[in-house]
Amino acid sequence: MKISARADTFERSGIRVMFELAEQQGGDLVRLEVGEPDFDTPEHVIDAAADAAREGKTHYTSGAGIPELRAAIAERMESETGVSFASEEVTVTNGGMEALALAILAIADPGDEVILPTPAWPNYENQVVLADAEPVKVPLPAEDGFDLDAERIIDHMNDDTAAVILTTPSNPTGRVYGEDAVKAVVDAAAEHDAYVIADEVYARLTYDDEYRRISSYTDYDGLLTVDSCSKTYAMTGWRMGWLVGPESVVEAATQVGESTTACPSSVGQQAALAAITGTQEPVREMYAAFRERRDYLTERVAEIPHISCPRPEGAFYAFLDVSELDGSSFDIAERLLSDYGVVTAPGGAFSAAGEGYLRLSFANSLDRIELGLDRIEALVRDECE
């Protein structure tokens, strides 16, 4: 039977390919391929969900989410940016991934262009294709540590541009984009009546300077912010995210969501509310661990010949330059898995701009990261010396 052309055009995520190869291989593997905190969800969040379930809060909610959670998200955004937000400018979604998909479906018509600075998380491209829009991939310069090159982005803007997606801190590079470059991109988007989608799911995981959300230093009605509980609160499986933006876009995104998932989990929303409004001590503890791991990883990589990585400024990824090794990034990742027992994400999975790199997640324990780097060093020495 026939498969739709839309579904048939998708390429499988290289991250998932490596994940499944690792599952098939088994054994004592060091898993550095998936961006998932190795911590459990904080106890007070779990308690709030359990209480909600026992109290019968297990029914449909508004498609945009319960009022208390929308208000809490608006208040959090205001406290972090100094900009006033209303609850009506927030819609709660099934993870940040759905927030991104609904945003694109709400603003992009067939044939419109969506600009993606690369290397980039592969789901952006697939979501643009799902909307029958055109992904425009713009490679960022590796020699600048994949910082945002505003001129490159602006050169690709035209009247067909529906949106630009800015992911800062970046997945996969860990780069925090410079504010001047971001402002230039936002100003150019305004000239073309294009939206800017700010994927800020790693906003609370920056290590050298305090992160300022894009909405705190730009004043543009076409700015859409995506965030979630997944990374900050170790809640990846809860699938709780949100979209913040102009009320008209939020309403449109909510309407689209009502035809796909109806509403977010009622119990999950109670958990998200507890995460956002409750104690932030678990967040601080996780942050300290991630920062320690970031420091160890970058110092250790600097000691290994033939490989290097830009120092991650945020998120929990290191983008390892393995271009001196033989083969594509997929080839290297497969050898590293099959022969040395380390699972990584090939840079080519994040577009051609990521070729020659491996993404390593340091959302794993320090001892496992150390073992993984021991094995990576063994591969390098076996192949290069």
Side-chain angles (χ1 to χ4, degrees):
M1 297 292 289
K2 160 182 172 206
I3 301 270
S4 75
R6 182 183 297 105
D8 204 35
T9 57
F10 278 17
E11 290 188 14
R12 293 196 63 210
S13 166
I15 307 167
R16 300 302 303 181
V17 169
M18 294 307 301
F19 179 91
E20 291 180 10
L21 287 174
E23 291 292 298
Q24 293 168 15
Q25 178 170 314
D28 179 27
L29 302 179
V30 179
R31 306 295 293 260
L32 305 177
E33 83 279 20
V34 176
E36 178 170 42
D38 60 320
F39 300 96
D40 291 329
T41 301
E43 280 296 320
H44 73 282
V45 175
I46 296 172
D47 289 343
D51 290 344
R54 292 190 182 98
E55 292 167 6
K57 296 178 181 177
T58 55
H59 304 282
Y60 288 130
T61 73
S62 163
I66 59 175
E68 311 95 287
L69 179 55
R70 297 173 74 190
I73 293 166
E75 290 170 9
R76 163 70 66 82
M77 285 289 292
E78 183 170 347
S79 70
E80 292 181 344
T81 66
V83 179
S84 178
F85 290 90
S87 297
E88 292 76 18
E89 295 173 300
V90 178
T91 188
V92 184
T93 58
N94 291 281
M97 191 181 301
E98 187 186 37
L100 287 160
L102 295 180
I104 293 168
L105 288 167
I107 64 176
D109 282 319
D112 282 352
E113 297 179 354
V114 178
I115 296 176
L116 310 175
T118 61
W121 186 54
N123 287 41
Y124 297 138
E125 182 176 356
N126 285 343
Q127 290 178 342
V128 172
V129 170
L130 271 175
D132 290 327
E134 297 293 331
V136 178
K137 293 181 278 190
V138 182
L140 298 177
E143 59 270 21
D144 292 336
F146 300 105
D147 198 5
L148 183 67
D149 186 324
E151 289 187 8
R152 290 193 185 197
I153 304 302
I154 294 168
D155 285 347
H156 286 79
M157 287 188 188
N158 56 58
D159 290 341
D160 291 326
T161 303
V164 181
I165 299 179
L166 298 181
T167 313
T168 178
S170 167
N171 173 13
T173 68
R175 188 75 195 223
V176 175
Y177 292 156
E179 290 184 8
D180 288 343
V182 170
K183 287 179 185 176
V185 170
V186 172
D187 289 345
E191 292 177 7
H192 290 283
D193 290 326
Y195 289 93
V196 175
I197 301 175
D199 184 349
E200 295 184 323
V201 299
Y202 299 100
R204 303 186 76 192
L205 292 173
T206 57
Y207 307 111
D208 300 317
D209 297 297
E210 184 175 352
Y211 181 76
R212 293 208 302 159
R213 291 187 182 273
I214 294 175
S215 56
S216 71
Y217 60 87
T218 61
D219 181 17
Y220 179 42
D221 290 341
L223 179 64
L224 310 176
T225 299
V226 171
D227 204 348
S228 82
C229 288
S230 292
K231 316 299 183 177
T232 304
Y233 297 102
M235 291 177 64
T236 53
W238 295 82
R239 309 312 303 137
M240 295 309 306
W242 51 88
L243 173 69
V244 180
E247 189 173 344
S248 59
V249 177
V250 166
E251 287 181 356
T254 302
Q255 289 172 5
V256 175
E258 288 173 352
S259 296
T260 54
T261 54
C263 66
S265 159
S266 59
V267 171
Q269 289 184 69
Q270 296 294 333
L273 181 61
I276 293 170
T277 61
T279 176
Q280 301 300 296
E281 184 57 32
V283 176
R284 289 187 283 271
E285 292 174 359
M286 288 186 277
Y287 171 89
F290 290 139
R291 182 169 184 168
E292 180 184 14
R293 297 168 188 180
R294 186 280 304 257
D295 292 344
Y296 169 78
L297 187 150
T298 51
E299 290 167 9
R300 177 69 188 281
V301 168
E303 298 171 353
I304 302 175
H306 306 291
I307 64 174
S308 62
C309 71
R311 184 177 177 84
E313 298 167 327
F316 36 58
Y317 306 110
F319 212 43
L320 196 66
D321 185 344
V322 292
S323 57
E324 291 188 37
L325 303 181
D326 290 336
S328 69
S329 60
F330 279 93
D331 295 334
I332 297 166
E334 287 175 350
R335 292 202 305 275
L336 193 55
L337 167 61
S338 61
D339 299 342
Y340 297 86
V342 182
V343 197
T344 59
F350 303 92
S351 85
E355 190 50 61
Y357 289 79
L358 298 177
R359 190 194 74 175
L360 276 61
S361 167
F362 50 86
N364 205 331
S365 65
L366 199 56
D367 62 326
R368 298 303 287 177
I369 294 170
E370 181 178 3
L371 177 59
L373 290 173
D374 287 345
R375 294 177 177 182
I376 290 172
E377 183 172 7
L379 174 143
V380 171
R381 295 194 182 281
D382 289 346
E383 296 192 357
C384 297
E385 297 181 2

